[in-house]
């Protein structure tokens, strides 16, 4: 997986004009011309179903085209044949070959997407907060301290990741999208909820927004009535896909001033950067962006999922964490790939995920050991795989909640039967002959209540 850095053109003067290619423009990507015809056809077929969007900067500076088929950033951004089950791939391929019209292609695409668990972890229904009995679309409040907000102009990204668990939002089905333009609702909700210490702006990528839009969502936080919201987190992959946002974009300076204003008002502003590979930290433009962001007093924390074919190697993670610490960034989460979209292609067994985490963790200094993982963002909560061990002669996984839907679950250890093949929480069964995990009864009750509520409101 290691390519010589010189194979990438990191030091070339980056083109600072944003140019994007979507599914309809795949044929215009000149770098693809050197690839086998079959591979290009496969990309076309899969891009009918999974989101595709890539920009010129990623094409020119992040992908090593001499080794494209195994290049992590190529796999990160270009759909691959094996991302779909053969039956679905073949049906779409046949339809495309037959010269079918867009309507029938879209109809089949829709059907296939429904089979790919478009909304994992019950996020559409379970976590939507209410204001005076009105549901607030575009917000999630799952863990007591943290409200997630999905600003409506931030529901795209500078490029799309092939593994994204939010993929369903990007393929045009409006019913699968949540977003909100309602700053007033957000503000009113936060004012009422003094237990909320963190606001997390997420997407898509909120950093696709112009600064004047971002201002609407952030400036009111300096108001005394929301003093309890101490931390503002912004989830983004722009340091990888479009670092120019912070350096050469027209309103880059305004953006930095906005962030600085929040810091000066006493907020902890955390830029939650999404990285999957140390290659993403190499470009000069990214380094310049990191410096500029850090100069405002904003902290950059890093998170990303563990993915087969992209980063399922402890050496990739330890190098990435070391590099992050060297650049002044803070490693934060290593996630287990969620059970949605192309997850079969990317999935890593829990036991392997743990081994990768541990080996990488063991080879870095304490400053990089701020990273927690491997963690599953499942419906009951964020569950960390802590160890594989033997207790009373039974081989078990030791697990704990890093976050629980009920905060009392947090930090409680629990045990599952060892299962070499398990890749997600719902593959696991309780150890020691027990019927249920300790949280399951209460969790079922929460689900039942939510379901009853939904029936009543319909
Ligand atoms: C991960 C997550 C958070 C934040 O959890 P921290 O442990 O505070 O980083 C908040 N809400 C949701 C829905 C999450 O998945
Ligand atoms: S940048 Fe984040 S939200 Fe956007 S496609 Fe990638 S993982 Fe998904």
């Amino acid at each position: 997986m290691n390519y010589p850095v010189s194979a990438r053109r990191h030091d070339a003067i980056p083109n600072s004009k944003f140019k994007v290619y979507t599914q309809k423009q795949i044929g215009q990507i000149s770098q693809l011309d050197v690839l086998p015809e079959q591979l290009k056809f496969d990309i076309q077929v899969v891009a009918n179903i999974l989101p595709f969007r890539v920009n010129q900067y990623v094409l020119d500076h992040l992908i090593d085209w001499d080794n494209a088929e195994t290049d992590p950033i190529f796999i990160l951004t270009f759909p691959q044949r094996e991302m779909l089950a053969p039956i679905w791939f073949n049906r779409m391929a046949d339809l495309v070959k037959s010269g079918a019209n867009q309507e029938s292609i879209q109809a089949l695409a829709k059907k296939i997407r429904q089979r790919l668990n478009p909304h994992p972890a019950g996020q559409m229904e379970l976590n939507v907060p209410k204001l005076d009995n009105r549901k607030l679309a575009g917000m999630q409040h799952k863990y007591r301290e943290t409200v997630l907000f999905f600003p409506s102009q931030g529901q795209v990204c500078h490029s799309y990741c092939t593994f994204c668990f939010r993929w369903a939002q990007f393929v045009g089905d409006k019913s699968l999208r949540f977003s909100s333009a309602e700053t007033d609702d957000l503000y009113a909700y936060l004012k009422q909820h003094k237990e909320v210490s963190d606001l997390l702006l997420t997407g898509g990528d909120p950093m696709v927004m112009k600064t004047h839009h971002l201002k609407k969502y952030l400036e009111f936080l300096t108001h005394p009535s929301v003093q309890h919201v101490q931390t503002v987190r912004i989830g983004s992959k722009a340091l990888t896909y479009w670092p120019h946002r912070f350096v050469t974009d027209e309103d880059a300076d305004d953006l930095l001033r906005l962030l600085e204003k929040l810091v000066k008002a006493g907020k902890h502003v955390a830029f939650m950067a999404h990285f999957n590979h140390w290659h993403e930290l190499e470009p000069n433009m990214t380094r310049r962006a990191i410096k500029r962001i850090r100069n405002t007093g904003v902290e950059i924390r890093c998170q990303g999922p563990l993915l087969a074919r992209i980063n399922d190697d402890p050496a990739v993670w330890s190098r990435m964490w070391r590099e992050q610490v060297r650049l002044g960034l803070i490693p934060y989460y290593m996630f287990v790939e969620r059970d949605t979209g192309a997850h079969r292609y990317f999935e890593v067994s829990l036991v392997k995920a743990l081994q990768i985490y541990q080996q990488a963790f063991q080879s870095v200094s304490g400053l990089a050991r701020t990273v927690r993982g491997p963690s599953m963002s499942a419906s009951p909560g964020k569950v960390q795989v802590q160890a594989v061990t033997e207790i009373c002669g039974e081989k078990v996984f030791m697990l704990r909640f890093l976050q629980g839907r009920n905060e009392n679950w947090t930090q409680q250890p629990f045990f599952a039967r060892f299962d070499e093949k398990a890749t997600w929480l719902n593959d696991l069964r309780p150890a020691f002959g027990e019927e249920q995990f300790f949280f399951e009864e209460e969790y079922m009750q929460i689900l039942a209540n939510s379901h009853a509520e939904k029936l009543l409101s319909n």
Side-chain angles (χ1 to χ4, degrees), residues 157 159-161 163-164 166 170 203-205 237 241 274:
C157 306
S159 291
Y160 287 145
C161 308
F163 62 79
C164 181
R166 301 222 166 103
F170 304 138
D205 193 330
K237 202 172 171 66
Y241 287 154
H274 175 184

Side-chain angles (χ1 to χ4, degrees), residues 303-330:
Q303 55 192 25
L306 171 59
L307 303 156
R309 304 160 213 250
I310 290 183
N311 62 18
D312 57 341
D313 172 358
V316 170
W317 284 90
S318 54
R319 179 162 176 180
M320 180 166 76
W321 293 337
R322 241 181 259 126
E323 199 56 24
Q324 287 168 354
V325 170
R326 201 172 68 76
L327 296 170
L329 321 185
I330 305 166

Side-chain angles (χ1 to χ4, degrees), residues 177-224:
R177 173 177 290 193
F178 25 49
S179 74
S180 174
E182 295 303 326
T183 346
D184 291 349
D185 283 348
L186 173 64
Y187 190 25
Y189 186 80
L190 290 176
K191 269 203 287 199
Q192 279 182 17
H193 289 265
K194 303 287 185 214
E195 76 278 15
V196 175
S197 62
D198 290 39
L199 170 67
L200 207 169
L201 236 58
T202 183
D205 193 330
M207 286 300 160
V208 300
M209 281 193 276
K210 293 276 180 234
T211 304
H212 70 268
H213 283 306
L214 265 168
K215 249 187 198 145
K216 285 192 308 208
Y217 298 111
L218 293 176
E219 244 173 2
F220 75 83
L221 291 167
T222 58
H223 195 269

Side-chain angles (χ1 to χ4, degrees), residues 127 140-143 145-148 198 200 233 272 303 332-333 335 338 372 377 382 402-403:
N127 310 321
Q140 279 182 36
H141 192 184
K142 179 170 175 181
Y143 307 126
E145 287 76 22
T146 307
V147 165
L148 267 56
D198 290 39
L200 207 169
R233 303 193 216 180
M272 307 303 290
Q303 55 192 25
Y332 187 59
Y333 269 133
F335 292 119
R338 277 197 180 175
R372 291 175 301 168
S377 292
K382 276 197 173 64
L402 296 171
Q403 285 281 11

Side-chain angles (χ1 to χ4, degrees), residues 27-44:
Q28 296 168 25
I29 299 174
S30 61
Q31 282 99 335
L32 291 180
D33 292 345
V34 301
L35 297 181
E37 280 303 317
Q38 182 65 43
L39 194 72
K40 279 190 281 185
F41 176 74
D42 293 351
I43 293 171
Q44 287 281 4

Side-chain angles (χ1 to χ4, degrees), residues 34-214:
V34 301
L35 297 181
E37 280 303 317
Q38 182 65 43
L39 194 72
K40 279 190 281 185
F41 176 74
D42 293 351
I43 293 171
Q44 287 281 4
V45 169
V46 183
N48 281 315
I49 296 151
L50 297 172
F52 174 76
R53 184 178 159 92
V54 70
N55 71 62
Q56 193 71 51
Y57 166 76
V58 174
L59 297 171
D60 293 349
H61 297 274
L62 283 174
I63 295 172
D64 172 10
W65 289 98
D66 294 335
N67 298 285
E69 287 173 59
T70 52
D71 182 77
I73 312 299
F74 179 74
I75 299 172
L76 184 68
T77 46
F78 280 85
Q80 314 288 322
R81 178 194 189 110
E82 295 84 11
M83 288 177 183
L84 293 178
I87 170 176
W88 298 123
F89 179 87
N90 291 332
R91 281 188 60 180
M92 185 54 93
D94 291 346
L95 196 63
V96 171
K97 274 188 214 146
S98 77
N101 59 18
Q102 266 308 308
E103 224 166 273
S104 19
I105 290 180
Q106 279 311 315
L108 179 61
K110 199 170 170 190
K111 193 167 145 191
I112 298 175
R113 286 176 197 139
Q114 289 306 329
R115 302 294 187 92
L116 301 175
N117 189 22
H119 273 277
Q123 48 185 353
M124 279 302 258
E125 289 174 11
L126 274 180
N127 310 321
V128 180
K130 281 187 194 152
L131 192 66
D132 310 322
N133 256 331
R134 183 166 54 88
K135 283 197 171 175
L136 301 176
M139 282 168 69
Q140 279 182 36
H141 192 184
K142 179 170 175 181
Y143 307 126
R144 194 176 51 182
E145 287 76 22
T146 307
V147 165
L148 267 56
F149 186 72
F150 299 75
S152 56
Q153 301 92 342
Q155 298 312 306
V156 287
C157 306
H158 293 102
S159 291
Y160 287 145
C161 308
T162 41
F163 62 79
C164 181
F165 75 90
R166 301 222 166 103
W167 64 274
Q169 299 189 49
F170 304 138
V171 284
D173 186 341
K174 290 268 157 55
S175 69
L176 296 177
R177 173 177 290 193
F178 25 49
S179 74
S180 174
E182 295 303 326
T183 346
D184 291 349
D185 283 348
L186 173 64
Y187 190 25
Y189 186 80
L190 290 176
K191 269 203 287 199
Q192 279 182 17
H193 289 265
K194 303 287 185 214
E195 76 278 15
V196 175
S197 62
D198 290 39
L199 170 67
L200 207 169
L201 236 58
T202 183
D205 193 330
M207 286 300 160
V208 300
M209 281 193 276
K210 293 276 180 234
T211 304
H212 70 268
H213 283 306
L214 265 168

